[in-house]
């Protein structure tokens, strides 16, 4: 026995060496394939123990670790591993018991994933949990009682209690040892599943009368280093002869049970028969060897052999159970049968989903195939019941791609647009292939962050504004508005003038925040009828985006200009009436006395700077010596004879035509025409001289006589006053004479103030001289034919009235 123990210890040391070599090979493999790292650690390590230099094995330097954000993703409910405080080494997070996690499964491997960002990469890790000899073999009970009839022949075998060791490999139960006894020996049998069972072999006949009871010790040993063991006491009771032992219908009962079998159901039945009669044929059944887990799940009826379920079966906790049933007759003889119970998996576990968001919020300019989350899916079932597919519900710009056996990546499938969808509620569905299939769902909310990818858009591409002229400066003309679909500063719009038609910039301004366009000045339709400016809308993004709209301003006309007479063009306006009428006088027109009706005398030509109705002109005669003799065209302005000229008609005719526009209020101008009825100009000259002498106007002659008398009286009084002053002041001339002798104008020669008029009867002359301008004395001689304006020769207007040609200098003949 001692030699066997030493051999077992040697085998344990050799196995430990093989495990160490395997760990070294796994470490080398991890370095060779960095995307599938494998580590091997013994069980029962303390919290914080080092598993492996994860960051170094992944090829990450300490400098880039903060940016790469190394993280661990585990799909298990218990997180056995974690990153250390230095965020570089993989360490134990909690105690790992290989027997609790994997049971008899070998190898025991835990899988997890490591994730790094910038750029995103997923690594798959597997940690193999190595068994250590931390469990000693144990028996289910302390005593084994064997009833042995004294007539039992040598070579008979009696099954003994089986020891159990949760460890695996060399650390599990390796052998049995029995207390030396000449009557009994020990045989160890190995079942197909690798477990070892001890049987007691009778070597010699026993004699109840010689020795009624025998006591033996059975020891179970494992192959660990150091070796661990467990014992059970065997009590053998020798009874009287019973020549027929019970016989089971099967040596091994193989039972398959669904894990969803309800409690209290009949699981299976064992049956044994005995050829004896009476009490020797009455068989009672019992479990002679059963594990504690199976004992809590099954109960055996000692009379019928029915085995019923007393607890819930769970394939994920226990897949296989083994027990030994003993059938004993009334004479003490017994038989044993093995029971192998296989638990069949039922799809009773829904998949579990673990989410690890990588990118949230997501910039809307993220390119497709960008990883936004890692999905880990687990299902405790096996086979098709444990195969899980993962997808997302709805038509979304995302898709799920498998990364490893239980890991998926959620990536961007198409371009994102925050202005269309700013938040995505993603429902992730995991479904297994069981029948019926089970599924689970997890929600993930992803925000899309804004990028300045939209320029401001005006509500209208071109704006039109209508403003009446003479508007107030600073009045609002129009308000433009642009909208930006972006958010925050990217959607904050300001307005600027970007340009326009030549000279339009000083006319308007735009308020940066509201987009209101204001007039900078009062508009004049006659100077500018329309203009266009370009308004630029710009957002607050970086870089900024902008767009431009055209604002076209139309100036509306107002009736602020009176008609202007172009013909007769005798001079500037002489005055204005109550409605803005402007009077214009013209030279004379000669009409032959032989003229018939419709003879064109003259044409009044006028224009109006306004537009539309404000510029529509109509002509009308308002004053004429012979109203029935002349007429004027309402729209043409042509002055024609209304009838044939007769000898009774006066030789001189004065016509006044008024020109009106159609504005509100209407503005007008007047034009005066002087018509002489004569066959030729030579015949008309005497008429003109008579007009100059004032023969046609007795009232004017009387006025000039009175004026001459007044002047003579004034000269007499002035002479008398001068004589008195001369006597009073002989030393010098009187102050009045000195004042009168002072020069009013330049010493260059005689000069007269503007509009200075002097006339004598029966002729009158108008001479208008600009101030400080010398006039030659020869200019005062009356010419043979006075060069006088027609309105003075024919109209007899007072002298003091300013002539339309008064701006002409002396010596410059006026225009005829």
């Amino acid at each position: 026995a001692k030699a066997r123990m030493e051999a077992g210890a040697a085998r344990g040391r050799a196995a430990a060496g093989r495990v160490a070599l395997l760990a070294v090979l796994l470490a080398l493999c991890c370095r060779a394939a960095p995307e599938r790292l494998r580590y091997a650690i013994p069980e029962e390590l303390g919290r914080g123990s080092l598993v492996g230099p994860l960051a170094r094995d992944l090829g990450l330097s300490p400098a880039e670790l903060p940016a790469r954000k190394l993280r661990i993703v585990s799909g298990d409910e218990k997180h056995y591993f974690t990153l250390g405080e230095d965020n570089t080494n993989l360490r134990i997070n909690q105690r790992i018991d290989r027997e609790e996690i994997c049971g008899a499964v070998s190898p025991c491997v835990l899988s997890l994933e490591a994730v790094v960002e910038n750029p995103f990469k997923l690594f798959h890790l597997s940690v193999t949990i190595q068994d250590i000899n931390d469990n000693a073999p144990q028996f289910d009970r302390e005593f084994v009682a064997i009833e042995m009839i004294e007539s039992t022949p040598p070579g008979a075998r009696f099954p003994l209690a089986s020891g159990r060791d949760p460890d695996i490999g060399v650390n599990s139960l390796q052998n049995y040892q029995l207390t030396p006894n000449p009557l009994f020996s020990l045989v160890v049998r190995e079942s197909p599943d690798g477990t070892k069972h001890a049987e007691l072999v009778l070597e010699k006949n026993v004699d109840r009368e010689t020795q009624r009871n025998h006591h033996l010790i059975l020891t179970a040993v494992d192959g660990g280093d150091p070796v661990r063991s467990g014992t059970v006491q065997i009590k053998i009771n020798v009874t009287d002869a019973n020549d027929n032992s019970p016989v089971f219908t099967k040596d091994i009962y193989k039972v398959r049970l669904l894990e969803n079998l309800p409690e209290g159901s009949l699981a299976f039945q064992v049956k044994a028969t005995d050829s004896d009669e009476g009490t020797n044929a009455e068989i009672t059944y019992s479990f002679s060897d059963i594990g504690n887990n199976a004992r809590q799940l099954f109960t055996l009826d000692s009379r019928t052999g029915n085995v019923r379920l007393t607890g819930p079966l769970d394939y994920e906790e226990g897949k296989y159970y083994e027990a030994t049933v003993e059938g004993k007759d009334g004479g003490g003889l017994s038989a044993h049968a093995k029971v192998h119970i296989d638990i069949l998996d039922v799809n009773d576990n829904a998949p579990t989903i673990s989410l690890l968001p990588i990118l949230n919020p997501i910039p809307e300019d993220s390119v497709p195939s960008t990883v936004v989350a890692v999905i880990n899916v687990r299902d405790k079932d096996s086979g098709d019941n444990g195969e899980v597919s993962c997808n997302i519900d709805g038509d979304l710009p995302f898709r799920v791609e498998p990364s490893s056996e239980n890991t998926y990546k959620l990536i961007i499938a198409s371009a994102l647009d925050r202005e269309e969808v700013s938040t995505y509620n993603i429902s992730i569905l995991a479904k297994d292939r069981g029948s019926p299939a089970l599924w689970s769902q997890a929600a993930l909310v992803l925000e899309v962050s804004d990028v300045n990818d939209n320029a401001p858009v005006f509500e209208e591409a071109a704006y039109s504004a209508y403003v009446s002229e003479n508007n107030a400066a600073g009045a609002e003309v129009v308000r433009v508005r642009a909208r930006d679909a972006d958010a925050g500063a990217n959607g904050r719009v300001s307005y600027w003038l970007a340009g326009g038609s030549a000279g339009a910039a000083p006319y308007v301004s735009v308020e940066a925040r509201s987009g209101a366009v204001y007039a900078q000045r009062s508009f004049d339709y006659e100077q500018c009828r329309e203009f266009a400016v370009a308004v630029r809308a710009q957002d607050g993004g970086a870089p900024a985006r902008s767009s431009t709209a055209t604002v076209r301003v139309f100036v509306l006309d107002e009736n602020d200009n009176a008609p202007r007479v172009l013909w007769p063009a005798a001079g500037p306006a002489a005055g204005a009436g109550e409605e803005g009428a402007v009077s214009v006088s013209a030279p004379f027109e000669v009409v032959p006395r032989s003229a018939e009706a419709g003879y064109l005398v003259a044409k009044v030509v006028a224009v109006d700077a306004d537009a539309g109705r404000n510029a529509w002109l109509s002509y009308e005669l308002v004053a004429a010596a012979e109203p029935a003799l002349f007429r004027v065209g309402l729209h043409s302005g042509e002055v024609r004879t209304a009838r044939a000229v007769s000898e009774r008609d006066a030789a001189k005719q004065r016509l006044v035509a008024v020109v009106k526009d159609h504005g509100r209020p209407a503005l007008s101008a007047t034009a005066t025409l002087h018509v002489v009825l004569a066959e030729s100009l030579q015949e008309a000259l005497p008429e003109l001289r008579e007009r100059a002498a004032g023969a046609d106007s007795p009232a004017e002659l009387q006025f000039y006589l009175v004026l001459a008398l007044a002047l003579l009286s004034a000269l007499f009084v002035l002479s008398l006053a001068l004589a008195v002053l001369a006597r009073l002041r002989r030393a010098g001339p009187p102050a009045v004479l000195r004042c009168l002798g002072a020069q009013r104008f330049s010493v260059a020669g005689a000069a007269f103030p503007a509009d200075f008029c002097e006339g004598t009867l029966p002729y009158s002359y108008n001479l208008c001289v600009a101030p400080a301008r010398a006039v030659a004395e020869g200019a005062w001689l009356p010419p043979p034919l006075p060069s006088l304006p027609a309105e003075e020769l024919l109209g007899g207007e007072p002298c003091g009235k300013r002539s339309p040609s008064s701006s002409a200098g002396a010596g410059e003949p006026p225009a005829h």
Side-chain angles (χ1 to χ4, degrees):
K2 182 177 180 181
R4 285 196 299 269
M5 292 180 64
E6 289 177 354
R11 286 195 300 273
R13 287 191 294 272
R18 287 194 298 272
V19 170
L21 179 60
L22 178 61
V24 173
L25 292 177
L26 284 175
L28 293 176
C29 293
C30 291
R31 290 180 176 85
E35 293 193 1
R36 169 65 74 172
L37 294 179
R38 293 181 173 86
Y39 297 100
I41 59 171
E43 62 175 327
E44 303 294 339
L45 289 179
R47 182 176 181 178
S49 299
L50 178 65
V51 177
L54 180 59
R56 187 188 69 188
D57 293 339
L58 294 179
L60 302 176
S61 64
E64 64 180 335
L65 274 177
R68 298 300 296 274
K69 297 180 181 179
L70 177 62
R71 284 178 285 178
I72 295 298
V73 181
S74 176
D76 296 322
E77 297 176 355
K78 296 182 179 180
H79 298 286
Y80 294 106
F81 305 98
T82 184
L83 288 175
E85 296 180 357
D86 53 0
N87 209 35
T88 60
N89 296 323
L90 186 64
R91 296 184 179 275
I92 301 295
N93 189 39
Q94 59 177 317
R95 173 181 170 271
I96 298 176
D97 186 354
R98 192 207 64 80
E99 289 75 25
E100 178 183 354
I101 296 173
C102 298
V105 178
S106 179
C108 182
V109 179
L110 296 180
S111 298
L112 63 156
E113 285 78 31
V115 178
V116 293
E117 300 180 19
N118 303 317
F120 173 84
K121 198 166 185 180
L122 185 68
F123 299 89
H124 306 288
L125 312 178
S126 61
V127 180
T128 301
I129 309 302
Q130 299 172 343
D131 182 58
I132 63 173
N133 192 22
D134 56 339
N135 293 282
Q138 293 181 351
F139 292 92
D140 296 332
R141 44 191 172 172
E142 297 180 0
F143 300 93
V144 175
I146 299 176
E147 294 287 340
M148 185 178 298
I149 192 169
E150 61 181 346
S151 61
T152 303
R157 297 188 178 190
F158 300 88
L160 300 179
S162 297
R164 302 185 184 278
D165 192 338
D167 295 327
I168 61 173
V170 295
N171 295 325
S172 65
L173 191 151
Q174 299 293 323
N175 203 358
Y176 292 93
Q177 299 172 1
L178 185 66
T179 305
N181 190 296
L183 298 177
F184 305 96
S185 65
L186 186 67
V187 175
V188 179
R189 296 176 57 188
E190 185 172 353
S191 62
D193 60 353
T195 57
K196 295 179 173 59
H197 305 279
E199 294 181 351
L200 184 66
V201 180
L202 181 62
E203 296 291 339
K204 297 179 181 180
N205 291 325
V206 293
D207 187 2
R208 177 180 174 277
E209 289 71 26
T210 303
Q211 188 174 355
R212 188 172 184 172
N213 297 306
H214 299 272
H215 297 276
L216 302 174
I217 296 177
L218 178 65
T219 303
V221 295
D222 61 18
D225 185 14
V227 175
R228 292 177 178 267
S229 62
T231 60
V232 62
Q233 294 183 16
I234 301 174
K235 300 177 87 175
I236 303 173
N237 185 24
V238 180
T239 62
D240 286 338
N242 182 15
D243 56 351
N244 291 293
S245 298
V247 177
F248 280 95
T249 57
K250 296 180 181 178
D251 292 338
I252 299 177
Y253 290 87
K254 294 184 177 180
V255 181
R256 304 178 71 184
L257 302 176
L258 293 175
E259 63 172 327
N260 61 350
L261 190 67
E263 295 184 22
S265 301
L266 177 64
F268 58 93
Q269 183 185 34
V270 294
K271 186 67 175 177
T273 60
D274 196 316
S275 301
D276 294 327
E277 296 181 351
T279 58
N280 292 330
E282 296 179 356
I283 301 174
T284 57
Y285 302 94
S286 65
F287 286 119
S288 64
D289 184 15
I290 188 171
N292 288 332
N293 294 337
R295 191 182 299 275
Q296 297 175 2
L297 297 176
F298 302 100
T299 181
L300 176 61
D301 190 328
S302 61
R303 293 299 178 186
T304 63
N306 293 336
V307 178
R308 295 186 177 273
L309 193 64
T310 58
L313 298 178
D314 192 345
Y315 173 84
E316 288 71 39
E317 292 185 2
K319 301 177 178 62
Y320 173 80
Y321 299 96
E322 185 178 298
T324 301
V325 179
E326 181 184 54
K328 183 181 292 186
D329 60 18
L333 296 180
S334 64
H336 297 82
K338 289 284 185 179
V339 178
H340 295 171
I341 305 173
D342 289 313
I343 307 300
L344 303 181
D345 182 48
V346 175
N347 192 23
D348 59 344
N349 291 282
T352 59
I353 303 174
S354 300
L355 297 176
L356 176 63
I358 300 298
L359 193 62
N360 194 10
I362 310 169
E364 63 176 322
D365 59 351
S366 299
V367 298
S369 300
T370 301
V371 178
V372 297
V374 175
I375 307 169
N376 190 276
V377 181
R378 302 281 180 178
D379 195 317
K380 294 181 178 180
D381 295 320
S382 63
D384 290 344
N385 297 331
E387 291 186 9
V388 181
S389 61
C390 184
N391 51 52
I392 59 177
D393 287 340
D395 186 12
L396 299 176
F398 301 94
R399 71 172 183 268
V400 174
E401 286 188 356
S403 176
S404 63
E405 182 180 357
N406 297 313
T407 306
Y408 297 84
K409 296 182 293 184
L410 181 64
I411 66 174
I412 299 174
S414 59
L416 304 178
D417 190 351
R418 189 205 65 84
E419 288 70 41
E420 292 185 2
V421 181
S422 60
T423 303
Y424 289 95
N425 294 314
I426 301 176
S427 179
I428 300 171
L429 183 68
K431 186 176 183 181
D432 60 28
R433 296 179 59 185
S435 180
L438 299 179
W439 57 274
S440 59
Q441 198 170 17
L444 178 63
V445 179
L446 295 178
E447 302 287 340
V448 181
S449 60
D450 185 52
V451 175
N452 192 21
D453 57 345
N454 290 280
V457 178
F458 281 94
E459 293 179 347
E460 301 178 27
Y463 293 82
S464 297
Y466 298 89
V467 184
S468 298
E469 64 175 330
N470 304 318
N471 59 293
E476 182 175 330
V477 176
V478 70
R479 188 179 293 265
V480 299
R481 185 178 296 277
R483 301 186 183 277
D484 196 312
D486 294 320
N490 296 332
R492 192 178 300 117
V493 181
S494 56
Y495 304 90
W496 312 88
L497 283 179
S501 58
Y507 285 89
V508 294
S509 63
V510 63
E511 187 176 1
R513 291 300 177 193
S514 66
V517 179
Y518 295 99
Q520 291 290 91
R521 58 194 295 181
S522 180
F523 300 147
D524 189 351
Y525 175 82
E526 288 71 40
Q527 292 183 0
C528 179
R529 299 191 177 187
E530 66 174 273
F531 60 89
V533 294
V535 178
R536 184 176 72 249
Q538 179 175 301
D539 59 28
R545 292 178 175 267
S546 63
S547 60
T548 304
T550 300
V551 178
R552 186 172 294 277
V553 180
F554 298 91
V555 181
L556 303 179
D557 181 54
E558 288 187 351
N559 194 25
D560 58 346
N561 290 281
R564 185 165 64 91
V565 178
L566 299 180
W567 180 262
E578 292 183 359
E579 292 186 359
V582 178
S583 299
V584 176
S585 297
F588 62 87
E589 298 289 342
V590 179
V591 177
R593 285 189 174 273
S594 60
E596 298 293 333
Y599 178 83
L600 179 61
V601 177
K603 182 174 182 178
V604 179
V605 180
V607 294
D608 196 315
D610 295 321
R613 293 182 57 87
N614 297 330
W616 294 357
L617 302 181
S618 60
Y619 302 84
E620 181 183 354
L621 281 179
V622 296
E626 295 289 343
L629 181 57
F630 300 97
R631 61 179 173 84
V632 64
L634 180 61
H635 301 295
S636 65
E638 294 179 348
V639 179
R640 296 179 180 270
T641 57
R643 58 177 174 80
V645 179
S646 66
E647 293 298 332
R648 295 188 303 273
D649 294 329
K652 297 176 290 298
Q653 301 286 335
R654 181 174 179 270
L655 307 177
V656 179
V658 64
V659 184
K660 287 186 178 182
D661 58 25
H662 286 67
R664 292 185 180 179
L667 301 180
S668 63
T670 59
T672 303
L673 292 174
H674 298 281
V675 180
V676 177
L677 301 178
E679 292 298 334
S680 64
L681 182 59
Q682 289 77 10
E683 184 181 346
L685 288 179
E687 298 294 337
L688 295 177
R689 292 192 184 96
E690 291 177 9
R691 173 66 184 89
D696 294 335
S697 180
E700 289 184 9
L701 180 59
Q702 185 179 1
F703 171 75
Y704 287 126
L705 289 175
V706 175
L707 181 60
L709 182 59
L711 289 175
L712 289 175
S713 299
L715 289 176
F716 174 76
V717 175
L718 181 60
S719 300
L720 184 59
L722 290 177
V724 174
L725 289 176
R727 288 180 178 275
L728 292 176
R729 297 187 62 179
R730 296 181 179 179
V736 176
L737 295 178
R738 289 196 301 269
C739 180
L740 292 174
Q743 293 180 344
R744 293 177 61 193
F745 303 101
S746 173
V747 296
F752 298 91
D755 299 334
F756 180 83
C757 300
E758 182 179 328
T760 59
L761 297 175
Y763 298 98
S764 65
Y765 302 87
N766 283 351
L767 181 62
C768 299
V769 184
R773 181 172 179 179
V775 181
E777 295 212 13
W780 293 96
L781 298 177
L785 180 62
S787 298
L788 302 176
E791 60 271 24
E792 292 190 9
L793 293 176
L794 303 179
E797 295 173 352
C799 177
K801 186 176 180 180
R802 183 179 180 88
S803 170
S805 61
S806 62
S807 62
E812 299 177 2
H816 291 279

